[in-house]
Amino acid sequence: MRLRTLKVAPCLLPATSAAALIVLCVTQHTPMSDVLVYRAEGAAAADGGGHLYDFTVTEWQLPATYPPFAALLFIPTTWLPLPALKAAFLLGNIALTALLVHLSWHRLAGLPARTTTLCTVTALALWLEPVFQTVVFGQINLALACLILWDLTRRDTAPGKGLALGVAAGIKLTPAVFIAYLFLTGKRREAAYASAGFVGTAAVGGLVLPYASGEFWTRRLYETGRVGKAWIVDNQSLQGLVARTLHTTEPGLLWAVPAVLVAIAGLYAATRLPAPYGIVVTAVTALLVSPISWSHHWVWCVPLLALVWARGQRRTAMAVAVVFTARTMWLLPHQGDLDLRLPWWQQPLAAPYPLLGLVLIAAWGQLSARSSSASTIRYA
């Protein structure tokens, strides 16, 4: 009996944490707005895709913003009653959090995969703001991060390595930055598979939904305003930081030029670092230079924390965890256009993630592959 209790005990903490999160979502009647968007995209795709980029749903008037291939994957969301679909997304994202912790802790950072440790970390990770927001919105960030991290941490000889990354890029375009990272690090085989996966998703979308594909790739892709207002505190990209700091809705070149410089610096740093660090720096670079990176896109904080912990920098890891838990951007006035009127001393509180990302690129950019302690890490 005592042995059985010891085996069950490690599971109690994440189960309790997950239960608390589920109760919070149910009692607060969380709308899970992104689930409604995915469901509408799936319905439009099932209907031929002719009006895929014309509808808006929820009180926030949210449109479809992903490529047509993603809409095809969302067709099964129309097969379930909405309450069951929301429950599936809620439970699925909780399970994906546990998977992301395992991939980050063991596969990426090379730390021992002790059950007690992984359960504890999972229980805490659920309350990191990007993870929490992904769960309550019903987003797919965790699924994409797991897909990318699983693929990139496989052995170099693994069959088809890079293909899953390409599929992830075909669902949500931002992961395509990792394809550039693979090319720049000389991993041409993996980059070729990733490129083939991406092109394959576009081809499938074009064959099944030709009208929607033509509309997306020739027009909708460039309408960044469809995604949302770039200057609100929800946007934790470099553009959001610059727009709020300059109190303007259109930062133009004042954002574009720094974004190009950050992209170059980030990818340069990523290519000079051992693979685990290069992967995370590439992810952070993508989040910084993307026109819009909602706070829930920063689920890459989980692998980031795992790597910092693996380096033995425990105090730094705890400080980073505080940044991703404090939710400072939501404590500021942000109704209407108040995001554009923030005084200078509130600007760091409104942009904690991009500021941390810039510090990360600068700090890790100084590390060399030979001197990094991560150079001995081997993938399982």
Side-chain angles (χ1 to χ4, degrees):
M1 178 64 70
R2 180 178 176 81
L3 181 60
R4 182 177 301 176
T5 301
L6 290 175
K7 289 182 178 180
V8 174
C11 302
L12 293 179
L13 189 57
T16 302
S17 183
L21 181 54
I22 292 171
V23 169
L24 181 64
C25 291
V26 172
T27 57
Q28 295 299 312
H29 304 289
T30 303
M32 299 186 76
S33 54
D34 287 310
V35 172
L36 301 180
V37 178
Y38 300 151
R39 184 182 177 89
E41 288 188 47
D47 196 35
H51 59 284
L52 177 58
Y53 298 106
D54 296 331
F55 71 80
T56 58
V57 294
T58 78
E59 61 184 283
W60 299 282
Q61 300 297 301
L62 301 175
T65 58
Y66 295 171
F69 177 75
L72 293 174
L73 298 182
F74 293 145
I75 290 178
T77 64
T78 64
W79 301 344
L80 294 175
L82 188 56
L85 180 62
K86 288 184 176 181
F89 265 81
L90 181 59
L91 297 175
N93 272 325
I94 290 173
L96 286 168
T97 301
L99 177 58
L100 183 59
V101 166
H102 175 77
L103 291 171
S104 303
W105 191 265
H106 183 57
R107 289 277 292 268
L108 184 74
L111 293 167
R114 298 189 181 94
T115 302
T116 301
T117 302
L118 292 177
C119 286
T120 301
V121 175
T122 300
L124 297 174
L126 286 171
W127 300 95
L128 294 168
E129 192 270 348
V131 176
F132 177 85
Q133 293 287 77
T134 292
V135 174
V136 299
F137 283 146
Q139 256 285 344
I140 60 172
N141 305 306
L142 289 165
L144 294 178
C146 287
L147 187 61
I148 295 167
L149 204 53
W150 168 79
D151 197 12
L152 293 182
T153 56
R154 292 196 294 159
R155 295 184 183 277
D156 290 340
T157 56
K161 182 177 179 180
L163 189 62
L165 165 61
V167 173
I171 297 172
K172 196 171 184 177
L173 300 177
T174 309
V177 176
F178 284 100
I179 302 178
Y181 164 73
L182 291 175
F183 271 114
L184 292 173
T185 52
K187 297 182 178 180
R188 304 300 170 82
R189 174 177 169 272
E190 292 90 335
Y193 271 115
S195 299
F198 176 70
V199 172
T201 63
V204 170
L207 288 172
V208 182
L209 302 174
Y211 177 80
S213 294
E215 185 178 12
F216 178 81
W217 295 109
T218 61
R219 184 158 67 99
R220 301 299 188 178
L221 172 62
Y222 312 101
E223 297 175 351
T224 55
R226 284 174 54 84
V227 182
K229 299 173 182 176
W231 43 267
I232 59 179
V233 295
D234 311 50
N235 183 19
Q236 292 292 299
S237 73
L238 188 62
Q239 180 175 212
L241 184 157
V242 173
R244 290 187 296 270
T245 302
L246 299 179
H247 309 290
T248 176
T249 60
E250 299 291 340
L253 289 177
L254 295 176
W255 158 69
V257 173
V260 171
L261 296 176
V262 169
I264 294 172
L267 287 175
Y268 177 77
T271 59
R272 292 178 59 86
L273 290 166
Y277 295 89
I279 290 171
V280 172
V281 169
T282 300
V284 170
T285 300
L287 290 166
L288 285 172
V289 303
S290 175
I292 290 182
S293 293
W294 302 131
S295 68
H296 52 74
H297 292 166
W298 284 79
V299 293
W300 284 90
C301 63
V302 176
L304 168 60
L305 285 165
L307 285 182
V308 175
W309 189 270
R311 285 182 59 83
Q313 299 172 329
R314 306 302 162 81
R315 291 183 179 179
T316 302
M318 288 187 284
V320 172
V322 168
V323 170
F324 283 106
T325 308
R327 295 160 167 78
T328 57
M329 72 285 284
W330 305 121
L331 302 177
L332 302 174
H334 58 275
Q335 300 298 324
D337 63 350
L338 293 179
D339 314 62
L340 288 174
R341 304 179 187 179
L342 298 174
W344 67 267
W345 61 271
Q346 290 184 345
Q347 295 296 339
L349 300 176
Y353 302 168
L355 290 175
L356 179 62
L358 292 172
V359 171
L360 173 71
I361 290 177
W364 281 6
Q366 298 176 2
L367 299 176
S368 67
R370 291 184 179 179
S371 63
S372 174
S373 61
S375 59
T376 59
I377 293 179
R378 295 181 181 274
Y379 292 138

